[in-house]
Amino acid sequence: MNARVAAAELLIAVMDRGRALEDALEETASFNALEGRDRAFARALVTAGLRRLGSVNTVLSRFLERPLPDTAYHGRALLHIGATQLLVLGTPAHAAVGETVEAANSLREARGFAKLMNAVLRRVSRDGPEIFASLPPGSDLPPWLYTRWRAAYGESAPRIAQALLQEPPLDVSVKDDASGWAERLFGTVTPTGSVRLASPAPIDTLPGFGDGAWWVQDAAAALPARLLGDMRGKRVLDLCAAPGGKTLQLAATGARVTAVDKSDARLNRLRENLARTKLSAEVIAADALEYRAREPFDAVLLDAPCTSTGTLRRHPDVAWLRRPTDVRSLAELQSKLVAAAAALLKPGASLVYAVCSLEPEEGEGVVADALKHGWKRETIRAGDVPGADEFITAAGDLRTLPAHWPEIGGLDGFYAARLVRN
């Protein structure tokens, strides 16, 4: 099987069939027929193609007299993959053009476009890089999304867009001895205590993985659980818990954790990680809106379902799968989840609400709604989470942006607030 064909079919699955890339990677037969370097190459191709989708399409449009027919799925995807090699990955023209045209000729669905691909890709290789380099920040985002970010973040919006173009580093959370594990993994300790690896590698081959000494978790995703403070011996409910990084964090600090998530399939990954790390938590498959506990908890962590626009560095497909209407519908769900959490807390206990979204409606908007319905903000203060002071907002919440920490590779966009019932 040809890696370029597999990459094209992954792109079709995302852009034409609306599948998340993670799902497409599991479901696409041509990709699953690949092994080793070919498999890694196909994944790198489609990820780069999605990350720079807007710019690559802009360049291609300059050299096409008219768009390919709507039904030319393979032709369009292979052309995009070929241009991605030339413009993003720096593949030599003779290889990118020749191999892409050969891949087209191998497919009945794309054979009729092989000559066109050859002509267009040769023009892209000659004149495309100058056009590509001249495109402004935000060219690789859907216009509706970048417009929202310019309204919400002003001058920071171009820096956010620029940060999304970089391959993110791999962060891990450790049970203990961050400095020691940073040395063993050839990484560094971030200002907030995560370990950041210097270069990507298959995680199951790294020291400590099999022994359960650490788990993969972006540095930003590790912050909300720490807002709960010292939870040793306390009962903590992790709502919408899968895949479970925050459950592992809390369990590692000695909390008695109950992890609830609607998806039993996603909870299986949490169960596997609990077994690997030799940590314990009660795992319950249930809808967070309907879950009832025998007794209230000392704290609740709610990492609510969201548009995930803060994670586009890792999941560039999300930008193209989301729609403007998703922001409102998810914000409504998030407010319902916050309301449901009220019945699960002891009087005076804290709820940490978090989303990996950059959309204000899902962060500040949900908290503003909560404040109207019996909640009080428990302001986050400097020093509450060492190393995170720069992320504290004027209102006393936490907001990370992909443009933060540019000198060490950035971090995901996250919002978190600490609330108590009046």
Side-chain angles (χ1 to χ4, degrees):
M1 182 52 67
N2 187 300
R4 290 169 175 81
V5 171
E9 294 190 337
L10 289 169
L11 191 63
I12 292 168
V14 174
M15 297 305 298
D16 296 310
R17 296 176 187 149
R19 302 295 294 162
L21 179 57
E22 288 298 322
D23 294 334
L25 290 169
E26 293 183 4
E27 299 164 357
T28 302
S30 55
F31 176 73
N32 287 318
L34 299 175
E35 295 180 351
R37 294 176 62 181
D38 285 343
R39 188 178 176 91
F41 180 50
R43 181 168 186 155
L45 275 176
V46 70
T47 302
L50 287 165
R51 182 170 287 125
R52 303 306 308 268
L53 189 133
S55 294
V56 170
N57 279 346
T58 298
V59 172
L60 283 171
S61 70
R62 305 281 179 93
F63 302 118
L64 283 167
E65 291 185 5
R66 66 182 68 86
L68 270 60
D70 289 344
T71 55
Y73 303 114
H74 283 81
R76 187 166 50 249
L78 270 174
L79 188 59
H80 187 90
I81 291 298
T84 297
Q85 293 171 76
L86 293 165
L87 298 170
V88 185
L89 302 182
T91 306
H94 69 275
V97 177
E99 296 289 339
T100 303
V101 171
E102 184 178 324
N105 277 320
S106 73
L107 287 176
R108 175 180 53 80
E109 300 92 333
R111 196 169 300 140
F113 300 100
K115 288 184 179 178
L116 174 68
M117 280 185 209
N118 185 49
V120 170
L121 290 177
R122 289 186 185 284
R123 293 189 64 188
V124 169
S125 72
R126 187 180 65 235
D127 302 322
E130 184 176 348
I131 300 170
F132 191 73
S134 70
L135 296 173
S139 297
D140 291 296
L141 292 165
W144 70 267
L145 186 58
Y146 192 54
T147 299
R148 291 178 59 84
W149 289 2
R150 282 187 297 178
Y153 300 105
E155 294 180 354
S156 294
R159 292 196 291 274
I160 295 172
Q162 197 66 28
L164 300 179
L165 304 184
Q166 308 304 318
E167 187 79 25
L170 180 66
D171 294 339
V172 302
S173 291
V174 299
K175 284 182 180 175
D176 52 33
D177 189 18
S179 297
W181 278 109
E183 185 175 349
R184 272 169 273 185
L185 295 170
F186 301 101
T188 56
V189 180
T190 69
T192 54
S194 295
V195 173
R196 176 157 291 184
L197 275 59
S199 58
I203 60 169
D204 56 356
T205 66
L206 294 173
F209 178 80
D211 298 329
W214 50 263
W215 54 94
V216 175
Q217 187 177 34
D218 185 81
L223 298 178
R226 299 177 67 189
L227 293 175
L228 290 173
D230 186 357
M231 287 285 113
R232 278 177 293 184
K234 302 287 183 63
R235 293 181 66 246
V236 181
L237 175 61
D238 186 3
L239 277 178
C240 308
K246 297 172 187 65
T247 294
L248 298 175
Q249 258 186 294
L250 292 163
T253 62
R256 295 155 55 202
V257 187
T258 298
V260 172
D261 197 278
K262 195 173 183 177
S263 169
D264 195 44
R266 281 166 52 83
L267 283 174
N268 283 335
R269 186 173 164 192
L270 170 56
R271 295 183 181 102
E272 291 169 3
N273 276 322
L274 284 168
R276 181 177 61 82
T277 56
K278 303 176 183 65
L279 295 169
S280 62
E282 182 184 21
V283 179
I284 298 174
D287 188 329
L289 289 173
E290 300 172 359
Y291 172 68
R292 298 291 180 270
R294 293 181 180 174
E295 55 182 315
F297 290 86
D298 296 303
V300 173
L301 173 58
L302 169 58
D303 185 359
C306 66
T307 54
S308 304
T309 53
T311 68
L312 298 189
R313 299 183 312 155
R314 303 180 191 285
H315 305 291
D317 53 314
V318 167
W320 304 100
L321 295 174
R322 290 298 184 192
R323 298 291 178 267
T325 52
D326 293 338
V327 177
R328 181 176 178 180
S329 61
L330 282 163
E332 291 173 354
L333 172 62
Q334 291 149 6
S335 286
K336 291 178 182 175
L337 288 166
V338 170
L344 299 167
L345 278 167
K346 289 181 178 177
S350 296
L351 164 71
V352 167
Y353 168 76
V355 282
C356 57
S357 168
L358 295 181
E359 312 318 305
E361 294 91 330
E362 298 182 81
E364 294 86 345
V366 169
V367 168
D369 182 65
L371 297 179
K372 296 176 185 173
H373 294 88
W375 292 92
K376 182 175 67 177
R377 174 183 274 117
E378 194 174 52
T379 303
I380 298 167
R381 295 184 173 83
D384 281 0
V385 178
D389 291 356
E390 64 178 301
F391 308 139
I392 299 174
T393 69
D397 302 330
L398 209 65
R399 167 68 80 183
T400 64
L401 302 174
H404 285 139
W405 290 355
E407 68 282 1
I408 61 170
L411 77 174
D412 285 347
F414 243 88
Y415 171 85
R418 198 162 51 195
L419 302 170
V420 293
R421 292 292 290 172
N422 271 328

